[in-house]
Amino acid sequence: MSYLIDIILIAVGAALINNFVLYYFVGICPFIGVSRRVDMAFGMGCAVTFVISIAAFLSWTITTYVLMPGAPLSKWIAGFFVPADVAAKIDLTILSYIVYIFAIASSVQFVEMYVRKFYPPLYKSFGVFLPLITTNCAILFACLKIMGNIIGVDNPADAWDLGRSLTLAVFGGVGFTIAIVIMAGIREELDLCDIPKPFQGAAITLVVAGILAMAFMGFTGVDSGLQKALTSQAGASTAENKNADINVGMSKFIIENQPIDENIPKG
Amino acid sequence: MVDQPTPLERFVQGILPENPVYRQLLGLCPTLAVTNGMKAAVTMSCAVAFVLLCANVITSLIRNLLKPHLRIVIFTLTIATFVTIADRFLAAYMYQMSKTLGPYIPLIIVNCIIICRCEVCASKQSVLTAASDALGQSIGFALALSSIAAVREILGTGMFFGWRVLPISWPDWVIMVLPPGAFLTFGILLGTVNWIGSYRSEKSGNR
């Protein structure tokens, strides 16, 4: 249950509250460049979401098994050359940027080849955008954020697992799609407006993005409210069930009180 | 065949006529993300200048060995190496600043300015030209970053480099240091620069 809450919070945070484009400013280049028409913007958003998930999977795997201090694979390989206690301390995090960018570039290349071979219509719809994605900051940013949540934590038990990392990546991509599609919709309307000449093109797009970012700031605080709502809901059912100890682990609680959920009226 | 610009021309071109941010709209992520204070903006410009200079020089040195289909990968890996150096340096000597800049230092790797300069200039020119081009572009980048950061910091907090320049009664425009302020400031500055540019060209055209 607490894991599910965690996932929901990460998803909402990545897609709406800390939107990749409007809060972290990553992926601005396609946001300005490819937001002229809604269908193109949607294609770009889908392509980014697709690649970002693959890159997140790769970076999580590489970080956990190769790069981080005491990672299994690097420990095993180093074990052939140095004593075991030295091998356990091998820390390859300094290589992380090079490894990530290489992983992203090659995965984009492979995805492009695979899609071109097996899904020609899909390739036609976002073929142009795929090579561009390598230099999209959003992808590398997601990888770095996942790395920060694996290596940067003090307690090894808090390190993110694959599920959390993928959630961040997929919903980060969804947030990017939302932002770029809204932007494209606004720009289609802007074509009909009489904009002062110096502001035509990128300048007015940025001003509109500023207003959009202001609107997205309205989501600030949704995560803490959501967390409170989700945990208090669980807490309320605890209160109803008098003999349940509050300190019982959440999962055990759910297994024990399975029938109670059926008594709660639906809707 | 057009005459190749001399190193000095390249240097001057980068500062204003071909300013990477205002004219070419490259490298917008750091431009918007780290400009809520002058200190962060200056540190970021220095990091980008270092990486751009080193990457341009290395690319120029190996330009005859490059294979066309592999060149982007080579550029990216070269850049990633120098970004790692810059990142470790900041973490060692300016820990607080590296915390503030956070993921935006590694994101220099995918900064379009550097890849663009490697591709357009360094892979075709001699070392001297490439280096002066890198210097010009990074000064232009620093100018653009500091102009945005100055507006945002002064209006948002009433301070400049941490010194108070506006009276204490100034109502801080908090929105300027928050993400929307970055978009608004840059949008309006970009429009202004375009306006000045078109005004100038009109004037010289009428003469």
Side-chain angles (χ1 to χ4, degrees), chain A residues 73-93:
Chain A
L73 192 64
S74 51
K75 196 163 101 183
W76 179 68
I77 292 174
F80 292 120
F81 305 104
V82 288
D85 54 328
V86 182
K89 285 185 205 143
I90 295 272
D91 182 359
L92 295 176
T93 41

Side-chain angles (χ1 to χ4, degrees), chain B residues 76-141:
Chain B
T76 325
L77 290 182
T78 318
I79 296 164
T81 315
F82 288 111
V83 168
T84 310
I85 296 172
D87 182 59
R88 293 293 96 193
F89 180 84
L90 279 179
Y93 292 99
M94 302 169 76
Y95 185 68
Q96 212 53 47
M97 187 46 78
S98 88
K99 278 272 171 232
T100 319
L101 290 177
Y104 296 105
I105 289 286
L107 283 180
I108 296 176
I109 301 173
V110 283
N111 192 325
C112 330
I113 295 177
I114 302 176
I115 297 180
C116 176
R117 287 338 285 177
C118 285
E119 168 81 23
V120 172
C121 174
S123 60
K124 299 186 185 93
Q125 308 282 341
S126 66
V127 177
L128 189 64
T129 322
S132 65
D133 181 72
L135 280 179
Q137 292 286 335
S138 38
I139 290 174
F141 183 68

